Amino acid sequence: MAKSGNSLDQSTFDKLRRLYIVGFSTIALSVIVSQILIRTHLSGQQSDSTVINIAGRQRMLSQKLAKNVVSLSSPQVATKDLQALKDDLKATLRLWEFSHFALQKGNDSLGLPQKSSLDITIKFATLNPVFDTIANASKAIIKTIETDTLWSLAVLQEHIDTVKANEGEFLLQMDAIVNQFDGEAEEKVSWLRKLELWLTVLTLFILLGEVLFIFWPAAKSVRYTLSELLTAEKRAKKMAYDADQLSKAKEKSMRELRALSRAMDDTLLFARILPSGALVHMGNKFSRLFRFSQFNDTILFWNLLSPVETEQEAIEALIEKHKKIGWQGEVKASTKHGEDLWLEMAIIPYNPTDEKSELLIIASDITARKLAQLEISRLTAESFEEKMNQQKIISSKIIENQEKEQNRIAKDVHDGIGQMLTGLKYNLESIDPSNIEKTTDKISHLKTLTTNIIKGVRTATFNLTPPELSDHGIVPALTKLTQELAKLMNKEIVLFNKTDFNQRMDSLSEINIYRITQEAINNAIKYAESSHIIVSLSHSKSILSIVIDDDGIGFDPNNVKRVKTGDGGMGMTFMKERIKYINGRLFLTSEKGKGTRVTLNIPLHA
């Protein structure tokens, strides 16, 4: 074997390479063959547990089916319970049939194989007539209950007896099928254990052979090679030390070069300045942006960015403050012709040599974005001011309407109830007990007057918050509202609770829903000249919907949307403000001559 002071024998490496290739290839081949055999077998067992589980479930389903059928024959079953038993029987039968055919023909969604063993196929062929008999009897029972409203137990008894008679046979045969499935799965597992044992023995023999004929000879060759390497190590250490010193110097230069290249590649604008602000270098795009073609080390960077003294002072203070630690942010600049510029600028401390320090300026022009932000801020402020003015108008109208409502109530009490009470007082004082005939007439008149006073008080209190709202909720309150208004106004006002809504809501939601509905009905009475008004309630799991329909003259909805100036439509404005307060939605549909529909959608919280 040839030797050299600078290299190892090539034949040694060739021999080691061949030995290791043979050794590892043999191990890899044995592992691959083992995995192929095991995975091929396991792929056939993936569905065994699912098949056994579903086959076992068939027994439970058949028992449940028979139990439901027998329960139907009980005379104590109520009509409601009978319907539930029928539905349960129908669902159980559907799942039982689906699983039965899936076990025989396979099903991808259940993970059942399409092929079964010959024994399984024969057992299912024996079971199918029993299955069909039970299934047909169950279907007949369901069909009779669903189609014949006058069915009797005697009509179903034959089918019930059929199910009871065949249930035991089905369970017995289904047990045999489950046991067959289980036995076949156990056989597969036993075969897999034997396969794993043989593969383990084969692998051990392969490893023993590789140790004797590959790795032991290779170890002797490596031992010799290591002795050669130890001799060369001493010479290599000196060379490695020298190379390490050169590598450090090169790495430092490469890091500085990469930092500078990255800065130039990742930004459009760049420059280099001294910590004093004197300009060292400026990129071409920076020069073009500020229309500056010649410079020297006497030009200060902030004088270049802006001719405005205040902007120059701000940039100079910024660089002076952050020249050691760096900085990133937005800077206001100006061109020589007075054009405003906004720069997103970064100040990076930079050391080209150990003795010299500079600042790397990296910037990008964000003028368009900044102007857009300023414009958005201006428009936002204007929009906020406009909304505040609109809200002030709405608030003033609300206060004005509240004052009118209070004056109206006071006037109703004074002119109506007050005058009637005064008349009651005078009539009581004028009663002469000695004149029985006149006293009788006056008492009769006093009864009528008292009835009118009570009616006036009820009307005045009804226009305020009704007690039904706080005591019983929104539905009783709306029912009372429609009934009272129908009596007072002599109109057909009807409430339909389509979905039997009876939930209680929070007090704010209920009072706002009540006031919106009251306003909609009053509008239909006062302005629409309606003779029939229908209030409909319906609800889902998350929404309560109230619809107020009238057969009035209708109107153009666009005429009630002038709320910014406060011109008309304030009733609708108040309704929208109230519905917004409870996070609901209001829809108005109307057409002249075709009536009006107001729809309220209010969220329900669990």
Side-chain angles (χ1 to χ4, degrees), residues 119-223:
D119 292 336
I120 294 294
T121 303
I122 293 173
K123 291 182 183 297
F124 266 113
T126 305
L127 177 65
N128 282 336
V130 180
F131 171 85
D132 293 336
T133 301
I134 296 176
N136 292 334
S138 300
K139 291 178 181 178
I141 293 172
I142 294 171
K143 183 177 179 181
T144 301
I145 296 175
E146 289 182 341
T147 58
D148 187 0
T149 57
L150 301 176
W151 64 272
S152 63
L153 183 60
V155 176
L156 302 181
Q157 191 62 47
E158 179 183 355
H159 302 302
I160 293 173
D161 293 339
T162 299
V163 173
K164 292 166 63 176
N166 288 272
E167 181 199 7
E169 181 64 20
F170 178 87
L171 292 177
L172 184 64
Q173 296 188 30
M174 198 66 215
D175 281 340
I177 292 175
V178 172
N179 293 333
Q180 182 66 30
F181 276 131
D182 185 64
E184 291 179 0
E186 185 61 31
E187 289 179 2
K188 293 179 182 178
V189 172
S190 177
W191 188 89
L192 181 60
R193 292 195 188 100
K194 295 179 181 179
L195 176 62
E196 289 178 338
L197 179 61
W198 282 108
L199 291 175
T200 301
V201 172
L202 177 62
T203 302
L204 291 175
F205 273 106
I206 291 173
L207 291 175
L208 180 61
E210 290 182 347
V211 169
L212 295 176
F213 300 103
I214 296 178
F215 294 115
W216 181 254
K220 291 191 293 184
S221 298
V222 169
R223 188 181 299 112

Side-chain angles (χ1 to χ4, degrees), residues 235-264:
R235 294 191 300 269
K237 283 184 177 180
K238 180 65 171 62
M239 297 174 62
Y241 178 80
D242 295 337
D244 185 63
Q245 296 301 315
L246 292 174
S247 177
K248 288 181 179 179
K250 180 182 177 181
E251 182 65 25
K252 181 178 180 181
S253 299
M254 290 299 295
R255 283 199 304 268
E256 294 172 350
L257 180 59
R258 283 196 298 267
L260 182 58
S261 299
R262 191 182 304 112
M264 296 174 65

Side-chain angles (χ1 to χ4, degrees), residues 54-67:
I54 293 179
R57 188 181 66 183
Q58 285 296 90
R59 299 182 73 262
M60 179 274 292
L61 290 176
S62 67
Q63 291 175 329
K64 183 179 180 182
L65 191 72
K67 180 180 177 182

Side-chain angles (χ1 to χ4, degrees), residues 283-544:
N284 293 331
K285 293 185 178 181
F286 219 145
S287 301
R288 286 196 298 269
L289 180 63
F290 288 93
R291 297 177 176 85
F292 188 80
S293 57
Q294 296 180 352
F295 61 87
N296 52 57
D297 56 6
T298 62
I299 297 178
L300 297 176
F301 181 66
W302 42 82
N303 292 337
L304 174 66
L305 290 188
S306 177
V308 181
E309 184 176 356
T310 55
E311 294 178 356
Q312 292 176 354
E313 292 175 352
I315 297 172
E316 179 183 3
L318 189 65
I319 293 175
E320 180 65 26
K321 181 179 179 181
H322 300 283
K323 63 183 179 182
K324 293 184 179 180
I325 59 175
W327 177 84
Q328 182 177 359
E330 296 179 356
V331 173
K332 174 70 167 58
S334 302
T335 64
K336 294 179 180 178
H337 302 289
E339 299 176 0
D340 290 339
L341 291 174
W342 284 91
L343 302 177
E344 187 169 11
M345 191 171 73
I347 302 173
I348 304 174
Y350 172 64
N351 298 308
T353 64
D354 293 338
E355 296 81 15
K356 186 178 180 181
S357 63
E358 295 180 0
L359 297 177
L360 185 64
I361 306 297
I362 304 174
S364 58
D365 185 2
I366 59 169
T367 304
R369 187 183 74 188
K370 190 66 177 181
L371 293 178
Q373 290 175 349
L374 295 174
E375 180 65 15
I376 290 173
S377 298
R378 184 186 65 81
L379 293 176
T380 302
E382 290 181 357
S383 175
F384 177 76
E385 184 177 355
E386 182 180 359
K387 288 182 179 179
M388 289 299 295
N389 291 334
Q390 179 182 348
Q391 191 64 39
K392 288 179 182 179
I393 294 174
I394 294 174
S395 299
S396 64
K397 287 293 184 179
I398 291 174
I399 294 173
E400 180 182 342
N401 279 14
Q402 288 177 341
E403 188 65 28
K404 288 181 179 180
E405 182 67 12
Q406 292 175 357
N407 291 336
R408 184 189 64 77
I409 294 172
K411 186 174 182 300
D412 288 345
V413 173
H414 179 270
D415 295 347
I417 299 173
Q419 290 183 3
M420 285 187 287
L421 288 172
T422 302
L424 179 63
K425 175 178 178 295
Y426 289 146
N427 277 276
L428 288 172
E429 293 176 347
S430 63
I431 291 177
D432 184 5
S434 60
N435 190 338
I436 301 300
E437 183 178 352
K438 289 185 177 181
T439 298
T440 302
D441 293 338
K442 285 183 179 292
I443 289 175
S444 177
H445 177 67
L446 288 174
K447 289 181 180 179
T448 302
L449 189 59
T450 303
T451 301
N452 291 334
I453 292 173
I454 294 172
K455 182 178 180 181
V457 172
R458 289 180 61 191
T459 302
T461 55
F462 177 73
N463 288 328
L464 300 174
T465 302
E468 287 81 6
L469 186 61
S470 58
D471 294 341
H472 305 292
I474 187 63
V475 175
L478 292 181
T479 302
K480 184 70 172 179
L481 174 67
T482 54
Q483 292 174 352
E484 291 295 328
L485 288 178
K487 293 178 182 178
L488 293 173
M489 302 301 173
N490 194 25
K491 293 181 180 292
E492 289 290 333
I493 305 175
V494 183
L495 174 70
F496 289 107
N497 190 353
K498 297 181 177 180
T499 57
D500 295 327
F501 178 75
N502 60 358
Q503 300 179 26
R504 288 303 304 265
M505 307 171 70
D506 61 88
S507 58
L508 289 177
S509 296
E510 289 184 342
I511 189 62
N512 279 287
I513 293 171
Y514 182 84
R515 291 304 183 198
I516 295 171
T517 307
Q518 185 183 39
E519 179 70 21
I521 296 175
N522 287 336
N523 288 343
I525 294 173
K526 293 179 182 178
Y527 308 119
E529 301 178 6
S530 307
S531 59
H532 292 79
I533 301 171
I534 299 176
V535 181
S536 305
L537 278 81
S538 60
H539 77 290
S540 64
K541 186 176 180 180
S542 58
I543 296 278
L544 170 63

Side-chain angles (χ1 to χ4, degrees), residues 44-98:
Q45 288 188 278
Q46 290 179 350
S47 60
D48 285 349
S49 61
T50 304
V51 170
I52 295 172
N53 182 48
I54 293 179
R57 188 181 66 183
Q58 285 296 90
R59 299 182 73 262
M60 179 274 292
L61 290 176
S62 67
Q63 291 175 329
K64 183 179 180 182
L65 191 72
K67 180 180 177 182
N68 289 340
V69 168
V70 172
S71 298
L72 290 173
S73 62
S74 175
Q76 288 81 19
V77 178
T79 303
K80 182 177 180 181
D81 294 335
L82 178 64
Q83 184 65 26
L85 281 173
K86 187 267 293 181
D87 292 340
D88 192 18
L89 174 62
K90 193 173 184 181
T92 304
L93 177 62
R94 187 183 303 112
L95 179 59
W96 189 52
E97 286 183 317
F98 175 76

